[in-house]
Amino acid sequence: MKKIKTIGVMTSGGDCPGLNAVIRAVVRKSIQELHCEIIGFEDGFEGLIHNRHRKLDADNVSGILTLGGTILGTSNRANPYQYPVKEGHNPVYKDLSASVKKNFKDHKIDCMVCIGGDGTLSIANRFVKEGLPIVGVPKTIDNDVVGTDITFGFDTAVSIATEGVDRLHTTAQSHHRVMLLEVMGRRAGWIALHAGMAGGGDVILLPEIPYDMDVIVTCIKERRRRGKRATIVVVAEGAKPQRGKEVIKEKVNDPSDPVRLGGISFVLGKEIEKLTGVETRNVILGHLQRGGSPSAFDRILGTQLGSKAVDLIAENALGFMAAVQDGKIVKVPLSIVAQGQRTVPIDYPLIKTARSIGVCFGV
Ligand code: F6P
């Protein structure tokens, strides 16, 4: 087998806690087992397009395990196949994939470890098909990458969101209010479901289960009839009413994900207050879920996946990604991520458990 001399590593897409654990594992294991050089490319595909990079060694990755974010920086608007270039007032989209290929060649990259979510890994897969040596590591707080049962970042985000729910309970009870907590997750309800359950939410609204306003109103009124004057609603940013639409915060110049969700808790809160007569407040947790130190679970998972990525390089399993399936760290083809988003199945056991203890899903 060809001797591996140079490995590249990059983080791309929205950041999440645990990225540095992956980088650290890739660097340490590559040095220890493959005795090769590691080049870190900065700000995701930006660095590969514009040749922004730095050498990584054991010293560079010392002390980063506990840090949130990514020491390499990231970008979620740098698709090399549709890269926005300003011409006059409007951006035009250009195919700069040749620059990426040139940098692979110039740096003699034997393999690139591409750490990203579904958008990034789909781009990576396209490069693989065009001959570039890449292995993937899935990441996102949303937990929605197809091919892996869990992504690192999710556990930390759930902890933060759960703390949010916990804190809302006491103020909701003091004021006898309905309090809504809006959490991230795009069109997947994993964070809302898990934080809602961990925090004892009374109503949990997921994108996968479009809600009926009448059911939510009945639930709140029924709770008050039983003497429960406060209600906690945990709502995923992608939740939407039956026959209705999700709430869009903004549209952005990002061809792979042009929509930023957000604001459903405002809309819902106003309706709840109008229909129940109960004072209602909403909180959008936002990027607090993505920042800060990773949980112990995410540090370990990131390390395992980074280590597995180096195994994939050693066994020449290019075009694969490290993943978790049935509790094991495995390899799956990168092409699997193109299948879409991994959303919460309607018959997911935790939903059944939630229903069995009286949690309302708005239907
Ligand atoms: O995909 C991760 C995520 O945090 C989503 O949950 C959220 O919808 C989106 O990214 C927010 O993106 P941005 O950081 O660009 O606002």
Side-chain angles (χ1 to χ4, degrees):
M1 206 195 108
K2 186 181 144 201
K3 162 101 179 89
I4 303 289
K5 289 190 184 147
T6 309
I7 288 177
V9 60
M10 60 178 279
T11 51
S12 184
D15 71 341
C16 75
L19 285 166
N20 287 325
V22 183
I23 297 169
R24 173 178 174 267
V26 168
V27 171
R28 287 174 63 150
K29 182 158 171 168
S30 301
I31 293 170
Q32 192 165 300
E33 297 195 356
L34 303 180
H35 313 289
C36 63
E37 290 213 328
I38 299 103
I39 302 176
F41 285 86
E42 295 170 356
D43 304 334
F45 283 110
E46 289 279 351
L48 269 164
I49 292 168
H50 301 295
N51 196 19
R52 289 207 311 265
H53 59 86
R54 60 183 190 262
K55 217 187 129 191
L56 294 178
D57 58 26
D59 283 345
N60 302 132
V61 297
S62 175
I64 68 170
L65 180 63
T66 57
L67 297 182
T70 159
I71 60 160
L72 290 175
T74 186
S75 162
N76 55 4
R77 296 190 188 184
N79 178 349
Y81 291 99
Q82 284 173 289
Y83 189 78
V85 180
K86 257 210 161 158
E87 277 186 8
H89 288 304
N90 299 321
V92 289
Y93 292 95
K94 297 210 164 159
D95 183 352
L96 299 187
S97 56
S99 308
V100 173
K101 290 173 189 166
K102 182 174 182 304
N103 279 319
F104 262 71
K105 207 166 160 212
D106 290 353
H107 291 287
K108 299 192 175 70
I109 303 288
D110 293 304
C111 188
M112 174 73 67
V113 180
C114 184
I115 311 166
D118 57 355
T120 299
L121 296 176
S122 298
I123 295 168
N125 187 46
R126 189 162 166 192
F127 277 119
V128 168
K129 285 195 201 141
E130 294 173 8
L132 293 192
I134 297 175
V135 298
V137 176
K139 65 89 213 167
T140 170
I141 61 164
D142 302 337
N143 201 31
D144 63 350
V145 178
V146 176
T148 186
D149 295 345
I150 189 156
T151 51
F152 64 85
F154 172 64
D155 182 69
T156 309
V158 169
S159 303
I160 304 292
T162 301
E163 190 185 338
V165 183
D166 291 350
R167 287 177 184 275
L168 288 182
H169 273 293
T170 52
T171 176
Q173 276 156 15
S174 307
H175 288 269
H176 322 298
R177 285 172 172 162
V178 176
M179 298 285 310
L180 294 100
L181 181 70
E182 178 176 326
V183 298
M184 282 185 166
R186 290 198 298 175
R187 297 187 175 89
W190 295 106
I191 298 176
L193 176 62
H194 283 253
M197 286 301 283
D202 307 302
V203 180
I204 301 176
L205 303 175
L206 311 178
E208 294 85 351
I209 307 178
Y211 61 83
D212 177 342
M213 199 62 212
D214 291 344
V215 175
I216 298 171
V217 168
T218 306
C219 166
I220 293 167
K221 286 186 174 165
E222 175 61 18
R223 284 176 57 76
R224 288 179 81 83
R225 204 186 50 77
R226 286 189 281 119
K228 301 272 184 194
R229 293 165 71 196
T231 296
I232 300 289
V233 181
V234 181
V235 54
E237 62 181 359
K240 56 179 186 245
Q242 290 173 354
R243 295 173 296 280
K245 287 194 184 134
E246 59 198 14
V247 177
I248 292 172
K249 184 174 66 182
E250 59 172 342
K251 294 201 172 168
V252 291
N253 283 331
D254 175 4
S256 56
D257 190 6
V259 158
R260 294 284 176 268
L261 297 171
I264 178 71
S265 60
F266 272 116
V267 177
L268 201 55
K270 283 209 176 82
E271 270 185 88
I272 288 175
E273 191 165 273
K274 195 173 84 191
L275 296 169
T276 61
V278 182
E279 198 178 21
T280 301
R281 296 284 190 274
N282 75 306
V283 177
I284 300 181
L285 202 49
H287 291 81
L288 290 174
Q289 291 156 99
R290 275 202 350 221
S293 187
S295 65
F297 181 89
D298 284 337
R299 295 177 199 183
I300 292 170
L301 181 56
T303 303
Q304 286 174 304
L305 293 175
S307 163
K308 181 71 177 179
V310 178
D311 289 341
L312 297 183
I313 296 172
E315 66 189 56
N316 204 29
L318 308 178
F320 282 80
M321 68 176 190
V324 182
Q325 287 184 356
D326 300 325
K328 295 195 188 73
I329 307 291
V330 296
K331 68 173 184 205
V332 297
L334 262 177
S335 54
I336 205 165
V337 295
Q339 287 175 9
Q341 258 185 298
R342 194 179 75 94
T343 52
V344 182
I346 309 294
D347 60 352
Y348 190 60
L350 190 56
I351 294 182
K352 284 191 186 162
T353 305
R355 288 191 197 281
S356 76
I357 59 164
V359 173
C360 170
F361 284 90
V363 286

